[in-house]
Amino acid sequence: KKRFRSSPCGSACSRISSRDRPRPIVEMWRSKLGNAYPRDTIEAMDAEHHRILQALRKQPDNSQCAECGDSGTSWASVNLGVFLCVRCSDVHRALGTHISKVKGCSGTYLWGPDEIENMRAIGNASARARYGSQTRPSPTASKEERLELCRRKYEGQAIAPNTSEALPRAASAAPRRSEDPPREAAPSAKRGPSVKAAAPLPDLLDFDSAFDGIEQER
């Protein structure tokens, strides 16, 4: 029988080789709210998530469409947190994903924990208080008419800054006490144009004496 000699490095080589093996790539799944989760985790939680959705849809406010009031809320706007009927879900798609992110509740779509939590936190009742109760469309309203109502309801929800508070307040920087009377500026005396002093004129009476002095020096 042939004897196989063990490698000099022994178990250390096996540890290095196992460490250098490429790790399996984890497939990620991203929710409509932008959060990423391992896909196998989301698939394992799918049954529980849809059980929660079914319970939420049975609530009185959530059982009626947030837009038109019809029953059969098999769709939802994940970011707005409202349950919708099939017809109004098509209207929400037309709004654009920057306003509404639509997803089905009947079991076809995977739901993330963040999406479920948002539907729990808001719902149709809280959405009426948050976005206001707009006029519901008539049963014969066209898609364009329904779209216009939704735009009025959901567009421009960002609160504009208060311009009165943004303006600088000079009075608050240096407040004036009410007991201190305002100071009056001292009246400044008006001065005329400055006149330069004239040079003294020579004394004509001393002209002869000065001339005599010159003659004597000669």
Side-chain angles (χ1 to χ4, degrees), residues 194-205:
S194 58
V195 180
K196 188 175 181 180
L201 295 176
D203 192 357
L204 298 179
L205 298 177

Side-chain angles (χ1 to χ4, degrees), residues 67-134:
E67 306 304 336
C68 65
D70 290 350
S71 59
T73 54
S74 57
W75 291 83
S77 174
V78 176
N79 61 311
L80 297 177
V82 295
F83 290 92
L84 307 167
C85 66
V86 176
R87 187 173 184 180
C88 289
S89 67
D90 185 53
V91 175
H92 272 243
R93 285 193 195 92
L95 287 173
T97 55
H98 64 290
I99 297 178
S100 180
K101 303 179 189 299
V102 183
K103 179 176 280 192
C105 305
S106 59
T108 307
Y109 294 87
L110 292 173
W111 282 69
D114 54 344
E115 298 171 333
I116 295 293
E117 184 59 32
N118 201 47
M119 299 304 299
R120 271 177 168 173
I122 304 178
N124 290 3
S126 298
R128 282 195 297 269
R130 176 178 294 191
Y131 306 115
S133 56
Q134 301 292 333

Side-chain angles (χ1 to χ4, degrees), residues 191-217:
R191 298 179 179 179
S194 58
V195 180
K196 188 175 181 180
L201 295 176
D203 192 357
L204 298 179
L205 298 177
D206 295 337
F207 181 76
D208 293 338
S209 59
F211 183 79
D212 294 339
I214 295 172
E215 290 293 334
Q216 291 175 3
E217 291 178 358

